[in-house]
Amino acid sequence: MAQTETKVLTAHVPLPLAEKIDQMAARLERSRGWIMKQALSAWIDQEEERSRLTREAMADVDTGQVIDHRAVQAWADSLATDEPLPVPR
């Protein structure tokens, strides 16, 4: 198996967060570094998805594919009633 090149990154984190990382590492019987890699990978995936969704939404706006705010507000307000409105399209 080929070994991936790595780079050491250093970050100062608040003590309570560091303690949670240590607790998680102990509970999962994993290293602190493994926990940090998992967390960082998940955060990057989340941010990439957020960016993709934002670009997709902006493309919809550019092509006029939008829903009127009043229709969305009326729908949201109706969710607390016995007869919610259908999702606006």
Side-chain angles (χ1 to χ4, degrees):
M1 180 190 314
Q3 198 161 14
T4 304
E5 290 188 47
T6 63
K7 181 176 184 176
V8 174
L9 301 175
T10 303
H12 291 268
V13 297
L15 286 177
L17 180 57
E19 289 168 5
K20 286 182 180 182
I21 292 166
D22 288 340
Q23 290 168 3
M24 184 72 63
R27 185 170 61 83
L28 296 176
E29 298 180 355
R30 295 289 190 157
S31 70
R32 184 184 299 150
W34 186 88
I35 299 293
M36 297 298 293
K37 283 187 267 186
Q38 294 298 309
L40 189 55
S41 292
W43 181 79
I44 288 172
D45 289 347
Q46 175 185 328
E47 290 304 309
E48 286 175 341
E49 178 68 1
R50 184 188 327 261
S51 178
R52 184 191 68 75
L53 291 171
T54 299
R55 288 190 309 274
E56 187 179 289
M58 295 306 293
D60 285 346
V61 169
D62 289 345
T63 60
Q65 297 180 41
V66 296
I67 300 172
D68 181 73
H69 173 75
R70 289 178 300 251
V72 173
Q73 188 65 54
W75 168 76
D77 291 344
S78 79
L79 293 177
T81 69
D82 291 334
E83 295 184 30
L85 296 171
V87 176
R89 304 239 179 248

